[in-house]
Amino acid sequence: MISESNKVLDESRQGEAITLEQTGAGNGKKFYLESYGCQMNFSDSEIVASILAKEGYETTRNPEEANLVLLNTCSIRENAEQRVRNRLNHFNVIKKRNPKYMIGILGCMAERLKAKLLEEEKLVDIVVGPDAYRELPGLIEEVEDGRKAVNVLLSREETYAEINPIRLNSNGITAFISIMRGCDNMCSFCVVPFTRGRERSRDPESIVHEAKYLHDQGYKEVTLLGQNVDSYRWNISKKGEIIEPEKETVNFAQLLEKVALVAPDLRIRFSTSHPKDMTDDVLHTMAKYENICEYIHLPVQSGSTTMLKRMNRGYSREWYMDRIAAIRRIMPDCAISTDIITGFCGETEEEHQDTLSLMKDVAYEFAYMFKYSERPKTLAERKYQDDVPEEVKQRRLEEVIEIQNANGLMRNKASVGKTFEVLVEGVSKKSENELFGRNSQNAVVVFERGDVQPGTYVNVKVTDCTSATLKGELVA
Ligand code: 5AD
Ligand code: SF4
């Protein structure tokens, strides 16, 4: 599971409108696109932009000026869906003035709410699921002919492998590359397997090609995206057998190596790792290549083995701690982040305490922390009672956050006095005179700009910190 704009993830990007340097043919067709949810959705929006640009569509940052408004939506928690509904109501006010205005939803809410949004509430004209973006031009034509248009079919093959995404809101330095789609894990709380369908991996050649292309364009960092990158497999069956003997097989460790070899000054990140599937091979590959960042997002969800069983995560607390030990053994400086859910079905006080103690033991650099929100169709909805009272979910969430804040500060303080290589990403939000970037461990580092340019690597000695940021000064 890819944490919400997680990562690699930046809450401030939610709902952000896109900008585009490349424009369409200028035939007056304009679209406006907002993205919600995980990085995968942001990455998908770049595929959609590419498909629409081929049709002559230009982008606009002003929804009033567009003929077509698209929302790339998220279903992971109920409040994510609520945000999108509020936006749909807003765009329908514009549509009242301009009946030709088309409103479409893409992404995870498409499959879930197609009938409701299209027919019952009449809030949208177009509904397109995550595997049907190639059909978008045809669907737009249907709407122009006065019909409602919908395609939410999920595919076992679609990976958009050869589509060259148009980078949206890009800093020209960091980019996402989608390496697989869907998820077969069926964690009991999670709606993703239902909204995004079966897991499938993208052709490794097209992935390496995209990384090379980005590097040629001046990009310095790529993040490989998948719901569970450790189960990436090319020409290997689910059971681990070779499918076509005369062809190369590629697992995730091998894919990482291929991308790392594209260029020594291209940093590689990836998300998300799954504790049940993460192999030592992946860790050894990370350790072997300087340009693979020492940062792993390894969602634990809960520190209790009985709870992990109800969550259908496929590992125990002991297994997870063994994976943490392997990371520390193979890469002592690797940063680790996690996702936590509080108040999942039947969570006892003891199980909650297990989560707190695990967080203390691991001392994560970073965590994304959520209250459980029941999702339709999931195993949990069918099998378990959402029986933890709201105030208990909230109190437990606050306790989790408190521990994480302390851990984050402790981790950052331990970095004071150390010097890191930082990839400069831009000007700090707080001051024109300061730049920011990230070190290999994904910590944000702020420093006085000197004559340094974004897109370059610099060495920064950390002199101070908050729980969220490292502050430092340039060193030679
Ligand atoms: N309720 C709360 N959090 C959830 N997540 C996934 N499904 C739910 C849900 N139903 C969280 C998990 C996942 C992250 C992206 O979102 O922690 O790793
Ligand atoms: Fe992640 Fe599990 Fe959801 Fe798959 S089912 S996306 S592994 S949380």
Side-chain angles (χ1 to χ4, degrees), residues 117-336:
L117 295 176
L118 209 61
E119 285 139 29
E120 259 176 57
E121 300 179 31
K122 302 201 184 340
L123 283 173
V124 298
D125 308 292
I126 305 177
V127 177
V128 194
D131 288 343
Y133 296 144
R134 288 180 204 266
E135 306 304 321
L136 199 47
L139 295 169
I140 292 169
E141 271 177 33
E142 281 187 38
V143 175
E144 284 167 344
D145 291 345
R147 282 165 293 174
K148 300 269 176 189
V150 54
N151 186 336
V152 294
L153 290 179
L154 291 170
S155 155
R156 281 178 176 254
E157 284 98 36
E158 180 65 273
T159 59
Y160 301 109
E162 84 305 346
I163 292 186
N164 189 13
I166 289 183
R167 305 294 159 182
L168 303 172
N169 276 4
S170 172
N171 56 10
I173 301 164
T174 60
F176 296 131
I177 300 182
S178 159
I179 64 163
M180 58 204 296
R181 301 182 70 81
C183 185
D184 283 353
N185 281 322
M186 292 288 175
C187 299
S188 59
F189 50 80
C190 185
V191 78
V192 167
F194 304 94
T195 60
R196 287 191 160 266
R198 300 304 296 269
E199 180 185 295
R200 65 224 99 119
S201 296
R202 177 178 168 192
D203 183 341
E205 240 178 76
S206 74
I207 296 169
V208 171
H209 183 269
E210 190 171 331
K212 281 195 178 129
Y213 176 79
L214 286 164
H215 183 255
D216 289 346
Q217 303 282 306
Y219 283 82
K220 293 286 162 52
E221 183 181 296
V222 295
T223 301
L224 309 181
L225 290 182
Q227 306 296 342
N228 173 2
V229 292
D230 299 293
S231 65
Y232 176 90
R233 57 198 154 81
W234 186 251
N235 196 26
I236 307 171
S237 76
K238 217 172 173 182
K239 288 193 188 137
E241 292 148 354
I242 300 174
I243 300 170
E244 292 183 66
E246 64 287 358
K247 286 199 187 149
E248 181 190 31
T249 59
V250 183
N251 64 22
F252 182 58
Q254 292 161 329
L255 179 72
L256 259 185
E257 176 154 50
K258 282 175 184 287
V259 182
L261 288 169
V262 164
D265 69 338
L266 183 69
R267 270 187 176 180
I268 323 297
R269 297 185 188 277
F270 54 86
S271 191
T272 295
S273 303
H274 198 302
K276 81 176 161 61
D277 297 320
M278 192 189 67
T279 62
D280 286 3
D281 271 2
V282 167
L283 302 177
H284 287 300
T285 305
M286 291 176 76
K288 182 169 165 195
Y289 292 96
E290 276 278 317
N291 58 333
I292 305 181
C293 291
E294 295 203 312
Y295 169 67
I296 299 182
H297 183 60
L298 196 68
V300 68
Q301 314 296 358
S302 164
S304 149
T305 295
T306 48
M307 173 57 93
L308 288 167
K309 202 159 178 52
R310 287 207 292 294
M311 288 178 161
N312 199 31
R313 288 288 289 175
Y315 55 87
S316 62
R317 178 185 175 118
E318 290 66 35
W319 174 278
Y320 185 88
M321 291 308 292
D322 172 75
R323 297 292 73 213
I324 297 289
I327 297 171
R328 304 257 192 255
R329 187 171 65 241
I330 297 167
M331 284 176 293
D333 293 328
C334 189
I336 307 172

Side-chain angles (χ1 to χ4, degrees), residues 22-31 52-59 67:
Q22 300 95 320
T23 53
N27 54 9
K29 297 197 279 187
K30 285 192 178 163
F31 75 102
L52 289 177
K54 283 215 177 74
E55 298 297 307
Y57 268 90
E58 280 181 67
T59 59
N67 332 69

